[in-house]
DNA sequence: ACCTGAACACCGTTCAAGT
DNA sequence: ACCTGAACACCGTTCAAGT
């Protein structure tokens, strides 16, 4: 029978025979904690605690137990403020978003520059909260800032000379490119460093060991292959898309 | 006290007072199952069962319990064949990969077409096993086919006229673009349909309701906004990158 | 790198009870 | 949309025991 409500496994009397359990002196650890005053908890407080935990212990350490510990409250008290863990995570993402780009981007008068600024903003946000990137990319919560960003993009593409139909398509492309590439980069960042190093080694050594006549290009490029999260890649792809937009807009104008 | 080793909750005597439990007639359900003969289990068999479960119940239904149920074996017998669940999932991804692109792509003589074919192959694989897409995109297991694909790409870019340094950069860009955009598209596909419909509605209605003078482009584009997983987007972005490569290669040649 | 059963640590969630 | 404690269903994992 597992015991519940105990601090996250640090000082439990495991069945190893030692029998000695140092009293959990770390933080508010269950029973001998005074009852929290009414209304002393709220969403903002809980989300702040969650961020501390996520940055210290990673996303997998972010459990309701740990949250209760961090707050000096019972794990289940969170259910008074969020319906379940999924809703909790979504609201957390929203809060993070507000903190990252609270103020909208000011149009510069140069449409390419506007898109670049927006892309940089979003990418920085994903890399900053890399642990949550995968969730962020897909689960869009429709906040005002999203509409502002969409308007900025559509306006930029209009100024580039695209038709409304084309603008809608390239807006989708830009949005997906920015989100998916940033999310990917963030996910790579989150991999354990040793694993990433090992992966690269295997790739380079594996490529070097190939038959030169079967893999001529790869063998000679083996040592110069780039890591998955090379930071230059994002902008190079973005410029390619911007070039395509510019060319398309120019062709529209010359007709 | 939870009872273990029981079929996944379908016929358990819950404490609801009814007391009536229909005998678990579904499949091999624990106690009254004859012991599996020695060596009757193996990796391939387990992975096949896992695929059945994942396609039927989704990724979150793929537990060791369910796996044992499907195999008519005890849940923990899987530990004899895989170190832990992570190793099991990785090997599963490898197997899927082998099934999807067992045979390499034959170069067509047209470098753009080669890259297109490769991209289409990989994207189709991600969409087919959409549940696993997020894991697949980042955790590369270095199988021979990866080297073959790299050689194909590097050769294509060489023929496009890029220098070796440039080829390495654009190889990385293409690889990341294909993986991250496909993974994104697959992730959207996996969202519950109602949720996706609701998201789109909120977006369209939200955009329509905005102030026309503050969001002129967005208001008029509101009803024509594209869904996140519009299938045309992938190729449009890919062509933009290919155009950039072609232009860069041409400029190298003219020097 | 055999298969099973019992047990354990942990995690999300519910519900009756305390303030 | 108050806070706590006990309980529950489930999930990955370990370990001693059976063949």
């Amino acid at each position: 029978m597992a015991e519940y409500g105990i601090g996250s496994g640090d000082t439990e009397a495991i069945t190893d025979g030692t029998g000695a359990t140092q009293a959990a002196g770390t933080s508010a650890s269950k029973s001998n904690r005074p009852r929290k005053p009414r209304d002393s908890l709220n969403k903002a407080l809980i989300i702040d605690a969650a961020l501390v935990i996520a940055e210290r212990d990673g996303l997998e350490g972010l459990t309701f137990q740990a949250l209760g510990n961090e707050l000096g409250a019972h794990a289940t008290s969170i259910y008074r403020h969020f319906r379940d863990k999924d809703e909790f995570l979504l609201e957390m993402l929203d809060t993070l978003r507000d903190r990252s780009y609270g103020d909208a981007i000011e149009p510069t008068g140069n449409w390419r520059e506007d898109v670049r600024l927006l892309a940089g903003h979003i990418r920085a946000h994903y890399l900053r909260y890399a642990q949550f990137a995968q969730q962020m990319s897909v689960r869009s919560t429709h906040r005002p800032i999203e509409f502002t960003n969409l308007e900025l993009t559509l306006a930029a593409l209009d100024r580039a000379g695209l038709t409304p139909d084309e603008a809608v398509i390239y807006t989708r492309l830009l949005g997906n490119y920015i989100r998916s590439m940033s999310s990917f980069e963030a996910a790579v960042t989150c991999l354990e460093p040793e694993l990433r190093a090992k992966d690269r080694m295997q790739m380079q050594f594996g490529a070097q060991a190939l038959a030169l006549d079967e893999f001529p290009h790869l063998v000679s490029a083996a040592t110069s292959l780039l890591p998955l999260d090379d930071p230059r890649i994002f902008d190079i792809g973005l410029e390619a898309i911007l070039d395509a937009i510019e060319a398309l807009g120019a062709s529209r104008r010359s007709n």
Side-chain angles (χ1 to χ4, degrees), chain A:
Chain A
M1 301 102 210
E3 292 176 71
Y4 292 85
I6 295 265
S8 56
D10 43 350
T11 58
E12 178 139 9
I14 321 211
T15 59
D16 64 358
T18 75
T21 60
Q22 32 174 307
T26 46
S27 64
S29 70
K30 193 193 153 187
S31 291
N32 42 348
R33 168 168 32 81
R35 192 186 184 91
K36 279 233 130 190
R38 208 180 166 87
D39 291 313
S40 58
L41 248 42
N42 57 58
K43 291 189 172 186
L45 225 56
I46 297 175
I47 286 176
D48 280 341
L51 256 184
V52 170
I53 295 171
E55 266 165 34
R56 189 187 54 209
D57 307 324
L59 189 57
E60 77 280 2
L62 183 53
T63 74
F64 277 10
Q65 283 288 0
L67 216 36
N69 252 326
E70 185 74 23
L71 290 163
H74 194 100
T76 61
S77 60
I78 289 133
Y79 281 91
R80 213 35 61 170
H81 301 90
F82 301 95
R83 189 152 43 78
D84 55 21
K85 195 164 187 192
D86 192 60
E87 184 188 289
F88 163 67
L89 273 173
L90 279 186
E91 292 211 33
M92 192 171 168
L93 297 191
D94 269 351
T95 306
L96 264 37
R97 227 181 293 243
D98 287 347
R99 290 187 193 175
S100 269
Y101 21 68
D103 31 47
I105 288 166
E106 307 218 0
T108 63
N110 176 337
W111 69 266
R112 284 186 76 127
E113 195 57 25
D114 287 353
V115 176
R116 277 192 203 109
L117 279 174
L118 178 61
H121 250 67
I122 297 178
R123 173 164 172 263
H125 175 63
Y126 276 68
L127 292 180
R128 177 170 173 198
Y129 300 110
Q131 311 235 20
F132 304 97
Q134 302 227 4
Q135 310 238 14
M136 287 191 292
S137 70
V138 175
R139 309 200 57 172
S140 65
T141 58
H142 312 293
R143 314 224 101 191
I145 187 72
E146 286 202 46
F147 293 120
T148 308
N149 289 344
L150 267 176
E151 174 67 21
L152 183 89
T153 307
L154 286 167
L157 298 187
D158 179 42
R159 281 233 306 293
L162 298 200
T163 69
D165 280 352
E166 291 165 345
V168 158
I169 289 180
Y170 279 89
T171 294
R172 175 83 297 144
L173 172 58
L174 283 169
N176 287 12
Y177 177 85
I178 295 167
R179 276 163 191 73
S180 69
M181 289 286 281
S182 300
S183 165
F184 180 84
E185 205 176 331
V188 173
T189 294
C190 287
L191 291 179
E192 322 219 14
E194 331 117 20
L195 196 108
R196 236 181 330 160
K198 204 193 76 183
D199 269 18
R200 264 205 94 195
M201 283 300 184
Q202 278 189 9
M203 203 68 214
Q204 291 200 349
F205 289 146
Q208 274 178 301
L210 294 170
L212 186 62
D213 56 335
E214 254 187 295
F215 299 87
H217 301 88
L218 183 50
V219 171
S220 70
T223 57
S224 52
L225 288 174
L226 303 184
L228 284 171
D229 58 343
D230 187 293
R232 298 168 295 171
I233 297 302
F234 181 85
D235 280 333
I236 294 175
L238 181 61
E239 294 301 323
I241 295 175
L242 294 177
D243 285 346
I245 292 169
E246 184 157 343
L248 187 58
S251 80
R252 288 283 164 274
R253 272 198 245 272
S254 64
N255 284 1

